Amino acid sequence: MEKARPLWANPLQFVFACISYAVGLGNVWRFPYLCQMYGGGSFLVPYLIMLLLEGMPLLYLELAVGQRMRQGSIGAWRTISPYLSGVGVASVVVSFFLSMYYNVINAWAFWYLFHSFQDPLPWSVCPLNANRTGYDAECEQASSTKYFWYRKTLNISPSIQDSGGLQWEPALCLLLAWLVVYLCILRGTESTGKVVYFTASLPYCVLIIYLIRGLTLHGATNGLLYMFTPKLEQLANPKAWINAATQIFFSLGLGFGSLIAFASYNEPSNNCQKHAIIVSLINSSTSIFASVVTFSIYGFKATFNYESCLSKVILLLTNSFDLEDGFLTASNLEQVKGYLASTYPDQYSKVFPLIRNCSLKAELDTAVQGTGLAFIVYTEAIKNMEVSQLWSVLYFFMLLMLGIGSMLGNTAAILTPLTDSKAITRHLPKEAIAGLVCLVNCAVGLVFTLEAGNYWFDVFNDYAATLSLLLIVLVETVAVCYVYGLRRFENDLQAMTGRTLSWYWKIMWAGVSPLLIISLLLFYLSDYILTGTLQYQAWDASQGQLVTKDYPAYALAVIGLLVASSTMCIPLVALGTFVVRRLRRGDPAPVA
Amino acid sequence: MLWLLFFLVTAIHGELCQPDAENAFKVRLSIRTALGDKAYAWDTNEEYLFKAMVAFSMRKVPNRETTEISHVLLCNVTQRVSFWFVVTDPTKTYTLPADEIQSAIRMNRNRINNAFSLNDQTLEFLKIPSTLAPPTDPSVPVWIIIFGVVFCIVIVAITLLVLSGIWQRRRKNKGPSEVDDTEDKSENTITIENGIPCDPFDTKGWHINDTFMPEDERLTPL
């Protein structure tokens, strides 16, 4: 007897699963950076336009395909056309790469979370040097938060060639992260459906708490004003539009097969059009909400740094000229400087090179994204708040929820095609399949806990998914509209949900979205070709800052392999299916 | 004559205590930064206390137990507040070596700080590095404890879920075979009533009396 396909207990679980998957770390650490780089408030214009042109239509397409075909990505595309099951395979390969490196972020979040229960926070003070007369040299050069990240957490090596040994502490945290993910996906939709209630809603609770705390911090308004003042001239910059399109695309998690997997567990009559609109709107508004929080934190940090810079200058002048303690303040600094320059010119000229020009704008201009924002900038702001342990625990707990929510989607994209395949489920129960997937990913993920692990992480982060996903989604859209037939798909949807497809969706699917993706692809390809050699940021312990280095040959080979292994699936499987069919047609018909 | 002697002594004092003199140390206080509104003014009484603390520190050094307050000389007091000091020997002809003074001050730094309600950053002895407090490292790092707790909870939860899944599957496999058994049994039993075996309807031929119509057809359907 056919076992019925597991279903979500109610449509709310499905929506929460999609939100939990789509709202991830990118909303917190990439969108605020883009907003800052491309014109603040005016970045919202290209962002919302791209949401309408590309985000919502492609999301609805994937959900509709999953709900209609009721199979994981490989099965769904095989149903559309046997030659296109390579698209499904490519999705699974990309999801596999993503889950390998994404869970390392959860491991780091666990590490910081466990270290938040100390007083003082370990990243707020520098450790002492060997003879206890001062602080550790590397920590003095950089800052205590950077030292904790690069030395204590990563123990990073000077370049990607020096692999170094396995760090047991991050390895343990990675193991724990995979165990937690396994616990959530163990029972399939039954367990995932309950977990997503928490992973989708708890980050919002923390964000609201942080919003209230952030807005009441001293100097938060500086950051908010800086962010929201629109710089309209950035609208003419094509990079702003390209980055808006890219951000919408990757933020929704299209092309991995996770959305198809989630939608395949839906009732056929589910109104996925409404859900697609809801999920994409919630995803975008979360990005904007998170950037308000981030910018109030930025403003606090920048104001704090500016004021401590001023205090240092005041102390320097007070000590050099033996002025009365407390005489120099921020308000009379400039006048007094002028007075000292005229009264004691030679002494002033000796001190002058040491005086730093403190500028609030320069502090606000330091735009950071990615792990640097999450683990360095935020921790720097947190250590200066009162009751910093509480804020730290809340923050890393939120990062964990966001990360695990996205991991559930990634593993669903890998597991659903595997559990759909009868050949595998005949021999192994689904708990064992899930366990094997987690085990393999964990074992490979140990590479990222080497001393050079963070450099390999950057390789995967920058190249594993970017180009391949654009190609996958392009082929998906073309396949549904032109190979399967837009009219046929429209009729299927109508029969399934009872709703007609409006002209907006049809125009977007058939015309606008594919054209957008093609232009993004062309831009990225030309960018890669024009830049020539690829470079990365390495940590220099002696200087206490990042330096740019070139990738060695074997790293470039790995990058090429990453991109090729997923994109080549599409033509190779198509070719393979063609060859197999030809051979089958060539053989004499078997006796029935 | 007395005036000449006094003049000589002051001149020697002046030579002994000068900015950048041999064995002289500069001290810098930031009273307002440390105490804010409760800041006290720096006057000669405070200087006396300072000299007393330095003399006290020197008396703890072997061979220097006879250091008096008058052996400590202060000069160049500025508005900052900062000044230079030297410690002379009992004959007031030469100054004591810098490393002796340095080690004495380092040993008693805490007492000196507390006498003025200041700390290492607000009462600075330039050229005398302060010994920084060693970090308090617990024997087992805190993070490992929390990691262990979370790890055990997750392992227990996974084991429970896996075991319950196996148990459910085993029960499902046994379930259909049990249902089949009871059906077989009911076919084999023959109900006996009053010693006469009652056969179920369909084993003996019987006829329906058509004159008796079934109940529901008597009522005309709506």
Side-chain angles (χ1 to χ4, degrees), chain A residues 221-241:
Chain A
T221 37
N222 292 335
L224 285 174
L225 276 173
Y226 180 77
M227 172 189 155
F228 282 113
T229 357
K231 302 179 192 62
L232 289 168
E233 64 273 9
Q234 284 287 345
L235 281 179
N237 181 2
K239 284 214 154 202
W241 294 86

Side-chain angles (χ1 to χ4, degrees), chain A residues 325-346:
Chain A
D325 184 28
F327 169 67
L328 260 184
T329 58
S331 36
N332 63 8
L333 182 63
E334 289 304 313
Q335 302 171 264
V336 174
K337 265 172 46 179
Y339 165 74
L340 288 171
S342 51
T343 338
Y344 309 99
D346 28 274

Side-chain angles (χ1 to χ4, degrees), chain A residues 478-490:
Chain A
V478 165
V480 168
C481 292
Y482 300 109
V483 175
Y484 190 74
L486 186 58
R487 201 152 294 239
R488 190 169 152 204
F489 194 61
E490 186 187 348

